Every structure is written in C-alpha cells, then in structure tokens.
Amino acid sequence: NTNLCYVDQDLDENLIEPPFAYPGDETIHCHGLAWAEDLGDPSNQLRFNNFFYVLMHDHMYSRGYVESLVPGLVPMCSCIEDMPKVVRSDCSEVDIESTFFLSLDKASGSLVITPGTLDFKFQSCRGYGLNPF
C-alpha cells in the first residue's frame, strides 16, 4: 500500500479523528461523488454534471491536476474499490432547487403542472466530519 491514500471501510463511524495522516499528505487526496440511488432523483440525473465539474473545472482548470499521481500505480480516476487506501478524501454533491406551478384547468377539471426553474450548485458532501484538513 501507499501512504498517498488510505481508506478503511471497517472504520468505526463514531471515530472523531482519522486513523492517521502523514506530514505533507494534506493536499494529496481522493475525491468521491454522491448522488441518490433513485433514478428519478435530480441528483442522480445530474451526477455526470457533478463528475464533469469536479474533473474538468475544479481539479484540472482550478488546481492543475492533469495526470496520475504515481504513473502505473495510482490512477487519476477510478472506482473506490480499485484505488489505493486514502488518508484524506473529499466528496462533492449537487444541491438542487426546482420550482413548478400547479393549476386546475376549469374546463376539464385536470391538474396542470408547469415547469418553473431549476437551480443547482456543486458543493461538498455532508458527512461525518472526519476531514481535519
């Protein structure tokens, strides 16, 4: 294993502090994404927008992360089960607000639903607060 990343899936959820961190590792981290399992949920429908934002805007454009950390050993992008263990992790989710209007068609007696606005922003996930960096 590497000290670049360390995640313990059996970690006690009541733990206040992470198990360890090495000096200098504070900026090295893995980044996850969160969305609802329900395919109809807007966070599920916008999950690829979240991925694009994190990968292209936040990581590549803003921070300059454009290649593997350790070529051949630690890929820039992969599923968590295929990555080395993590000392620090970040997570992003989409915060969504949408509006719609309901009215009653007096002639037919049916309910009419009219779309309004869809506003969303990318933000850090809400979690256990184990990230001290």
Side-chain angles (χ1 to χ4, degrees), residues 41-108:
D41 189 283
S43 69
N44 185 297
Q45 295 172 354
L46 293 172
R47 68 188 183 277
F48 296 113
N49 298 65
N50 191 15
F51 182 70
F52 183 84
Y53 171 79
V54 169
L55 181 67
M56 300 302 290
H57 177 74
D58 186 46
H59 285 187
M60 188 175 84
Y61 179 74
S62 298
R63 301 177 194 216
Y65 301 163
V66 293
E67 59 188 39
S68 297
L69 196 55
V70 180
L73 295 176
V74 181
M76 180 177 169
C77 182
S78 186
C79 295
I80 188 73
E81 60 270 13
D82 298 327
M83 294 296 283
K85 301 191 171 204
V86 261
V87 167
R88 175 181 164 214
S89 64
D90 290 339
C91 178
S92 293
E93 65 184 357
V94 183
D95 181 32
I96 302 160
E97 286 187 26
S98 61
T99 60
F100 56 91
F101 303 95
L102 301 176
S103 59
L104 185 61
D105 184 320
K106 292 182 182 181
S108 68

Side-chain angles (χ1 to χ4, degrees), residues 115-131:
T117 60
L118 173 65
D119 295 313
F120 60 92
K121 63 182 176 182
F122 304 101
Q123 65 183 26
S124 296
C125 297
R126 307 295 190 256
Y128 293 116
L130 294 177
N131 191 349

